[in-house]
């Protein structure tokens, strides 16, 4: 019976004790597995692989990657021809993580052959050896010391130029960050102004639809409105005058009241008419 995800991980740690978690997320888990591979009865070397387990594992197949050159290592059985390797299918019921990792190590060893792949420990030893040889050359070979003394000022100038370049890049990056913040602030202000302008335009459009404002919005409209008001007031005065004449025959007191009302309305009408005439003349003069 096939094991679940946790069971296969426990089995992997039992078979390969040098297994550690590099990263773990909801999407995938990356393991680093170290193992010593024997390539012959008398030769062996250490290999490391990054094994990626997708979130759907064990339903989805794991992937193995070489940390040295970052290319995928097949998890198919070793010595499989390309056609069989391409036809290989991971089976959640039959395939196991231990088997896949073991196959990947053997395939990686077949790729490197008898050449031991690089490692951080090996590189450190090589650099230490190079340093020792350089010191030995400086002690035993005067020409090497002269060459080193000649190259040292040039190397210092190159290092100083590199530092200046890095400082300039940092300065430009900081200025870009400040400019970005200012641009974002200005962008927010522009959006606020656009919103306020849109609200003002909508308000003006609403005011433009107001009949009262439309009647006095332009000089021509105001003149027409004044003329209409004068005509209406004249009609009202005529109506009051007619009522006063009718009351003169039967109701003297009522006649006096209507007469006073007629005088007041007539005066108001004439004042408005004078304003209309004056405003019209002023508009014509301008």
């Amino acid at each position: 019976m096939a094991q679940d995800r946790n069971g296969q991980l426990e089995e992997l740690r039992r078979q390969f004790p040098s297994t550690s978690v590099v990263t773990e997320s909801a999407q995938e888990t990356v393991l680093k597995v170290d193992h010593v591979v024997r390539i012959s009865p008398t030769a062996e070397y250490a290999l490391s692989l990054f094994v990626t387990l997708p979130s759907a594992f064990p339903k989805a197949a794991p992937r193995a990657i070489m940390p040295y050159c970052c290319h995928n290592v097949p998890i198919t059985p070793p010595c499989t021809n390309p056609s069989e390797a391409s036809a290989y299918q991971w089976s959640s019921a039959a395939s196991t993580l231990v088997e896949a990792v073991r196959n990947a190590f053997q395939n990686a060893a077949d790729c490197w052959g008898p050449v031991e792949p690089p490692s951080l420990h090996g590189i450190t030893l090589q650099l230490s050896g190079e340093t020792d040889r350089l010191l030995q050359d400086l002690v035993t070979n005067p020409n090497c010391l002269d060459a080193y003394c000649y190259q040292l000022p040039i190397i210092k100038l190159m290092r100083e130029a590199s530092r200046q370049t890095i400082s300039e890049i940092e300065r430009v990056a900081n200025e870009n960050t400040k400019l970005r913040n200012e641009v974002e602030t200005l962008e927010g202000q522009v959006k606020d102004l656009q919103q306020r302008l849109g609200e003002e335009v909508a308000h003006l459009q609403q005011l433009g639809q107001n009949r009262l404002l439309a009647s006095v919005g332009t000089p021509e409209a105001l003149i027409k409105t004044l003329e209409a008001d004068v005509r209406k007031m004249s009609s009202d005065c005529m109506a009051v005058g007619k009522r006063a004449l009718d009351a003169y025959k039967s109701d003297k007191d009522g006649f006096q009241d209507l007469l006073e009302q007629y005088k007041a309305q007539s005066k108001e009408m004439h004042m408005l008419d004078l304003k209309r005439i004056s405003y019209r003349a002023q508009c014509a003069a301008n």
Side-chain angles (χ1 to χ4, degrees):
M1 182 177 179
Q3 294 178 321
D4 60 2
R5 181 188 183 95
N6 293 331
Q8 295 210 35
L9 286 173
E10 291 178 0
E11 182 64 23
L12 178 67
R13 290 188 174 94
R14 280 195 295 268
Q15 297 294 331
F16 298 92
S18 298
T19 300
S20 59
V21 177
V22 179
T23 60
E24 188 172 8
S25 64
Q27 290 76 26
E28 63 181 15
T29 300
V30 179
L31 306 174
K32 183 175 183 292
V33 184
D34 299 323
H35 183 56
V36 176
V37 180
R38 181 172 295 278
I39 59 174
S40 69
T42 58
E44 62 181 20
Y45 52 67
L47 276 175
S48 296
L49 290 177
F50 288 132
V51 180
T52 302
L53 305 180
S55 59
F57 178 82
K59 293 183 179 180
R63 292 184 295 108
I65 301 174
M66 280 188 184
Y68 320 108
C69 45
C70 297
H71 76 267
N72 292 329
V73 180
I75 61 173
T76 56
C79 302
T80 305
N81 60 57
S83 60
E84 293 178 351
S86 60
Y88 174 81
Q89 295 291 332
W90 168 268
S91 173
S92 59
S95 304
T96 63
L97 180 60
V98 171
E99 178 187 2
V101 172
R102 187 177 289 114
N103 292 340
F105 272 116
Q106 188 58 52
N107 289 326
D110 293 341
C111 178
W112 284 101
V115 179
E116 182 177 357
S119 64
L120 183 60
H121 178 68
I123 293 173
T124 302
L125 291 178
Q126 289 180 3
L127 291 177
S128 299
E130 292 294 332
T131 303
D132 294 340
R133 280 194 291 272
L134 175 61
L135 293 176
Q136 184 67 25
D137 289 339
L138 292 176
V139 171
T140 59
N141 190 346
N143 294 330
C144 182
L145 181 60
D146 292 340
Y148 179 75
C149 293
Y150 174 76
Q151 294 175 4
L152 183 60
I154 300 176
I155 294 174
K156 287 184 176 180
L157 291 175
M158 293 173 61
R159 182 181 299 175
E160 184 63 27
S162 299
R163 289 178 179 175
Q164 292 178 359
T165 302
I166 293 173
S167 300
E168 184 67 18
I169 292 174
E170 290 179 350
R171 184 186 65 80
V172 173
N174 293 332
E175 290 181 356
N176 287 339
T177 302
K178 293 180 181 179
L179 288 176
R180 178 180 298 176
N181 295 334
E182 293 179 0
V183 168
E184 290 177 353
T185 302
L186 291 175
E187 184 179 3
Q189 294 177 356
V190 168
K191 289 182 179 179
D192 292 340
L193 291 174
Q194 287 178 342
Q195 182 178 0
R196 291 169 56 186
L197 180 60
E199 294 175 354
E200 293 292 337
V201 170
H203 184 61
L204 289 175
Q205 290 176 349
Q206 292 178 356
L207 292 178
Q209 298 173 357
N210 189 294
R211 295 178 60 184
L212 177 60
L213 292 178
S215 64
V216 296
T218 62
E220 294 80 5
L222 180 57
I223 291 173
K224 291 181 179 180
T225 301
L226 291 174
E227 290 176 350
D229 291 343
V230 169
R231 285 194 298 269
K232 185 177 184 305
M233 293 181 71
S234 176
S235 176
D236 292 341
C237 287
M238 293 296 295
V240 172
K242 185 177 180 181
R243 289 169 55 197
L245 291 175
D246 294 339
Y248 179 76
K249 300 176 182 179
S250 58
D251 186 4
K252 298 296 183 179
D253 294 335
F255 168 75
Q256 290 296 328
D257 293 338
L258 291 172
L259 181 61
E260 293 299 328
Q261 183 180 353
Y262 175 79
K263 290 179 180 179
Q265 289 186 356
S266 296
K267 182 179 179 180
E268 186 178 354
M269 179 196 68
H270 285 297
M271 292 295 295
L272 182 61
D273 194 28
L274 289 174
K275 290 180 181 179
R276 177 188 65 81
I277 295 171
S278 175
Y279 182 72
R280 187 168 188 173
Q282 183 180 358
C283 291
N286 294 334

